[in-house]
Amino acid sequence: MASADQLAAELIALEDRFVWDVPATAAAAAGIERAAVAIGAEVLAVRARLVQASMLSRLGNAGAGFHAARNIDQWAADHDLPMIRARAHLVLAAVHRHLGDPGKCLDHAVMAVEYLDDTATVHAQVWHRVKLADALADAGSTDAARTRFQQAERLASVHGEHRLHMAVLNNFAYQELCAGEFERAQEVAARLQSMAVRYGFDLDPADLDTIGAILIENGRYSEAELMLRDCIALHGQGHHDADDALVEYLLHLSQAQRCLGALDEAEITLTRGKAICARIGLNEVLVRFQQEQAELHAARGEYAEAYALHKVFHAQHEILHSQKREAQARERQAMFETSEARREAEEFREQARRDPLTSLRNRRYVDEVLPGLIADPAEPVTIALLDLDHFKRINDELSHEVGDQVLVAVARLLENAVPAGSFAARMGGEEFLLVLPALGQNEAIAELERVREIVGSHGWLEITGALPVTVSIGVASTHDGAELNQADLLSAADRNLYVAKHGGRDQVVSDLGVAGKRARRRTYRDAPRTSHR
């Protein structure tokens, strides 16, 4: 009977490797689980189950993999085992990537890194960061992804894990390719090749395919064809067991051959790839082969055939997307039908109450929470509507992308600036709401003046250049026993925001007569007015 130390060593060998033979890995993990149960090693048994959960998702059973990983994460939380939680969230990230949900994938990828502890192997430290980088890239955060790839590179280099370093570079190069950064992708791929030569490693088929695809996009078709022929030859020597990898290699090879004008060879390669797709049911890849077939017809001057096939491609592409959406819906429904349904429902509920751009609370959350706060006569509530000054100018002169960066940055400033017990929300466009319970109006105004100064003095140069970013703030409070509802309070704050805007901007305005009295309107402004219109 194997000892706990032997089983632990076998588990690490499964956890810390790049898996090509998924069924064999699942079977090995099941064997370790049985052996661990037999000797009462519960933690090892759970780790073995997590490896099996990962293999389930890679075999296409994302729902089963999801539930197994979620249950294991909960068990690990109850037993204070952060490293198991880290690996569980890596599996959950992979499941959500398969479901086409980059936001949830990124959430779990972040947690997979955050839960890494002192017991994490070098492979785990590196690869968890690589998968976070992949998730960031899929979510469109290219610069943040590069930072994580570079961190993973440094870790691998410091520990002398050169083969692992090459795997990092492979993913890095592929993500640059997907982002359309072909020159950057070529530079990373060149470093990958240089490292293989320096340390005497052979490039595996995945490396060769990535490099070949990059060469195609950079117009180096002859080199790409040679690279991809080597890739397919290595595949035939048993480097990969799965034909779903082979069809990708064939697709790239056919593209290189077409670009070289070797149209008959490209046709042969396409035919081989389509046959494999049809045999093993890779309908999504088959559609991409049809697109390449249309390109091949066009290269031959067969424009009628190319157009006809292009229409077929578009029709089948739409069908596949519809089927994928239906599959996602089925997977999500299956998730709800387990014992984790209540928790999962709460996560979706939370997601629905967050602004997708800034991650602040949204109008829906405000409508649910604010009436209850206002209704409590024992505690005053102050609200503030904040509007970015001259935001249209930022969008028009710098681009809407820069405008989005400003909104995200302001959201972070507001979230960090509000006192405990308060919250910030995005109401829409460039308008935000701060809700400050249990603060008197004067105390709240002092906090809001501080918020105004924080936004105005932030280092905006890297984002907006010479254009300043300031906020106008309109304030309203419940006090003196006034009976106000949410609409009253928001309307009062909006009136004061209007005054702030038309009174020079970059200021805090509060109407002390909001309870119904005609009181003096007070403007709080310590800093000199900015010069921009």
Side-chain angles (χ1 to χ4, degrees), residues 315-371:
Q316 293 191 348
H317 186 265
E318 287 302 313
I319 290 171
L320 276 175
H321 270 272
S322 177
Q323 290 173 344
K324 190 170 185 178
R325 286 192 296 269
E326 291 173 5
Q328 290 170 351
R330 287 195 299 271
E331 293 284 2
R332 290 186 183 278
Q333 181 62 30
M335 291 175 187
F336 276 103
E337 291 173 353
T338 69
S339 60
E340 293 286 322
R342 185 174 299 172
R343 247 181 104 183
E344 190 66 16
E346 184 59 32
E347 287 189 12
F348 279 100
R349 181 178 181 277
E350 173 71 9
Q351 189 177 12
R353 285 149 183 79
R354 292 279 181 183
D355 173 57
L357 175 64
T358 65
S359 296
L360 290 182
R361 301 295 187 178
N362 60 14
R363 181 63 182 259
R364 182 175 182 177
Y365 178 85
V366 172
D367 290 342
E368 291 179 356
V369 172
L370 187 55

Side-chain angles (χ1 to χ4, degrees), residues 138-150:
D138 291 343
S141 299
T142 306
D143 288 338
R146 290 185 185 122
T147 298
R148 295 297 181 174
F149 277 125
Q150 289 160 1

